[in-house]
Amino acid sequence: MQAGSETRGGWPGIVLVWAIAIAGAVTVVALAYTGTTDWFGDTSRFGVYGALGIVLATCVVGSLGVQLATRRPSGFVTRTSTSIAGAAAVVAIAALAVAPAALG
């Protein structure tokens, strides 16, 4: 088995999860800067981070679903970890981006 062959067939699923993370993070950041104050019933100024948590949770569940749908057991953990790590990085960047809106 060649190095890296575990993820070769799973890149479309990985990129799909990253795209979901980007779309969700951009939506939350845009809403945060337009003055949205009610995030799923949380009206505190840090409610935006709960919304980002939901984006990350959606990506985790989506990653598991997408990688299970490939029906390829070889490299499952690597593909899923890569999907979730990329989504976590996107959400972390979004959390830094909304900090001025949440704190201000």
Side-chain angles (χ1 to χ4, degrees):
M1 184 178 295
Q2 296 176 352
S5 65
E6 295 87 20
T7 60
R8 185 171 299 145
W11 278 110
I14 293 168
V15 172
L16 174 66
V17 171
W18 291 351
I20 292 168
I22 291 168
V26 166
T27 301
V28 170
V29 170
L31 289 172
Y33 279 101
T34 59
T36 301
T37 58
D38 188 10
W39 298 95
F40 301 103
D42 185 359
T43 57
S44 71
R45 64 183 184 170
F46 296 116
V48 66
Y49 292 110
L52 287 173
I54 291 173
V55 170
L56 183 60
T58 301
C59 291
V60 169
V61 172
S63 174
L64 292 170
V66 166
Q67 295 307 326
L68 283 172
T70 64
R71 299 180 54 119
R72 295 181 56 210
S74 176
F76 172 79
V77 173
T78 303
R79 292 189 313 270
T80 305
S81 299
T82 304
S83 296
I84 294 171
V90 168
V91 171
I93 292 167
L96 291 174
V98 298
L103 298 174

